[in-house]
Amino acid sequence: MPSSRPLPRGVAVVLLVALLAAPLVGGALWQAGRRAAPADARTGVGFSPGFELLSEPVPALRRDLRAMRELGARRIRVDVSWAQVEPVEGQRDWTTVDRVVREARAAGLEVLGLLVYEPSWARRFGDAGAPLPVDPDAFAGFAAEAASRYRDDVTAWEVWNEPNTDRFWGAAPDPAAYAAVVRATSPALRAAAPEAEVVVGALAPARNLGNGATIRPETFVRDFYSALAPEERAPGVLFDALSVHPYSFPVRPTAGVPWNTFARLESIRATAEEAGGGDVEIWLTEYGAPTGASDRAVGEWRQALLVVEGLLAARRLDFTGPVYLYSYRDPRAAPQDFEANFGLVTDAGRRKPAYWALRLVLAPWWSGL
């Protein structure tokens, strides 16, 4: 009678990674006319822990940042929120961001600063009481101060998070309004920190909803570029890269279903190119899958498969930049809350199978991710 005992964790993870890597090694993943970007053009894998990182006590923060670097991560995405820094008009307190940036650099991680969200006192409303987008010039002023303060520590700045959704834009998503924010913010960033890259987009998986609450990434990219002057559209002018959050769970990143943003990365890139964006690079600044017990959760072994396959799928595209995994650690024990279960490590410190799979993929003898 066959044994019903599960494989030891290490053996199972090795088999998982080998299974996923085999097509890459054998060439089955290389389609005609497609090439992989050279390893020296890659800027590696990082983590996007979200705003919870800002509230971690120093010992826990230091532990997690060092663990990320020891795992093989090279980058981290840090929220730099105007609302958090200046909750009272005229009183900016950078203490929390200072601590996170300082500890991230001490751990050997490159910092992508995510510039987001106006404070309540800066919110604007129309005549009918509907919320309006953030004031571009006011936001650019905050961004300029942030870039100047962290000139020596932040290597790239991302302008806003998921502006194609009303949840994060704070108003009805509007590509032209976002273009106005980029047009004001980018020169301020370049003046304050000339060496830092500017990344725009941070687009969420979304559909074109009839009520305007969300906009599909391709539609948003097309209309965003249309709102820019032709001379502003080329990489290196206002911005250096586009960013996308290509979540695919519960399906695999290559699955051909309409809502799978990962499988539409080539379509998003083609849209940018056709709109005058040239050979713009696309950064994947959030990617992952939630475990737990919510109706959106996947199993822990499924999470491992999605994480590894996503990295390999990104590696074989010739236009992708760094990949930021969401996230390293679950912020709390809340199995029914899918947002609290994207970590590769539980809140109590147990390493999920995805941790061990990623550790192998990021090992120095691997492919240079």
Side-chain angles (χ1 to χ4, degrees):
M1 178 180 293
S3 171
S4 61
R5 290 191 305 167
L7 286 170
R9 174 186 292 163
V11 174
V13 172
V14 169
L15 289 176
L16 170 69
V17 175
L19 177 63
L20 289 171
L24 181 63
V25 175
L29 286 179
W30 304 103
Q31 298 177 13
R34 179 177 296 177
R35 62 176 178 83
D40 60 2
R42 320 300 290 182
T43 42
V45 174
F47 282 98
S48 178
F51 67 89
E52 285 95 350
L53 187 74
L54 298 174
S55 61
E56 282 196 7
V58 170
L61 175 67
R62 190 169 294 164
R63 172 203 64 202
D64 283 352
L65 293 173
R66 292 180 177 177
M68 293 176 199
R69 188 66 189 95
E70 290 170 1
L71 182 58
R74 304 180 191 177
R75 289 176 166 260
I76 189 165
R77 183 177 185 239
V78 174
D79 285 33
V80 183
S81 170
W82 184 14
Q84 189 272 328
V85 170
E86 193 179 3
V88 177
E89 185 175 4
Q91 299 179 25
R92 289 183 179 172
D93 181 359
W94 297 93
T95 304
T96 299
V97 182
D98 285 350
R99 180 179 69 248
V100 174
V101 170
R102 180 179 64 248
E103 294 296 337
R105 295 299 298 127
L109 296 166
E110 291 187 36
V111 177
L112 166 63
L114 172 61
L115 294 161
V116 285
Y117 315 139
E118 74 270 46
S120 58
W121 58 263
R123 296 297 308 274
R124 305 185 301 161
F125 297 90
D127 294 337
L132 298 175
V134 64
D135 178 82
D137 293 329
F139 186 72
F142 169 74
E145 185 173 341
S148 177
R149 187 178 189 87
Y150 303 115
R151 181 187 297 111
D152 297 329
D153 297 304
V154 173
T155 58
W157 292 99
E158 191 173 28
V159 181
W160 214 268
N161 180 61
E162 302 189 349
N164 61 324
T165 69
D166 59 354
R167 176 186 177 190
F168 289 104
W169 183 235
D174 182 346
Y178 180 64
V181 171
V182 171
R183 184 180 288 114
T185 303
S186 176
L189 293 172
R190 296 212 189 277
E195 300 301 316
E197 294 183 274
V198 177
V199 183
V200 303
L203 300 176
R207 296 178 294 156
N208 292 328
L209 292 183
N211 64 2
T214 65
I215 299 176
R216 182 181 171 95
E218 289 96 329
T219 304
F220 194 93
V221 166
R222 181 198 66 203
D223 294 348
F224 166 71
Y225 273 99
S226 295
L228 299 176
E231 63 272 15
E232 295 176 322
R233 299 173 186 172
V237 181
L238 280 181
F239 53 91
D240 303 293
L242 284 175
S243 54
V244 178
H245 299 167
Y247 293 105
S248 69
F249 67 90
V251 302
R252 298 169 75 165
T254 53
V257 294
W259 47 264
N260 182 359
T261 307
F262 206 117
R264 300 209 315 270
L265 285 174
E266 289 178 291
S267 173
I268 295 168
R269 175 44 150 60
T271 299
E273 189 172 11
E274 291 166 6
D279 58 350
V280 66
E281 191 173 65
I282 294 185
W283 292 23
L284 312 184
T285 52
E286 286 184 25
Y287 175 71
T291 60
S294 74
D295 58 1
R296 303 183 65 182
V298 301
E300 290 191 355
W301 287 103
R302 182 73 172 180
Q303 181 195 43
L305 184 146
L306 295 179
V307 166
V308 172
E309 188 170 33
L311 293 178
L312 296 180
R315 180 66 181 85
R316 66 185 176 90
L317 296 172
D318 65 358
F319 55 80
T320 54
V323 180
Y324 293 78
L325 296 174
Y326 181 77
S327 176
Y328 176 73
R329 179 185 292 269
D330 294 339
R332 55 193 173 277
Q336 296 295 336
D337 180 359
F338 95 104
E339 286 280 7
N341 290 276
F342 279 82
L344 308 188
V345 176
T346 69
D347 69 303
R350 180 179 64 81
R351 295 166 175 174
K352 302 177 190 178
Y355 172 94
W356 299 105
L358 182 65
R359 182 171 179 172
L360 288 177
V361 170
L362 297 185
W365 45 264
W366 190 252
S367 60
L369 288 170

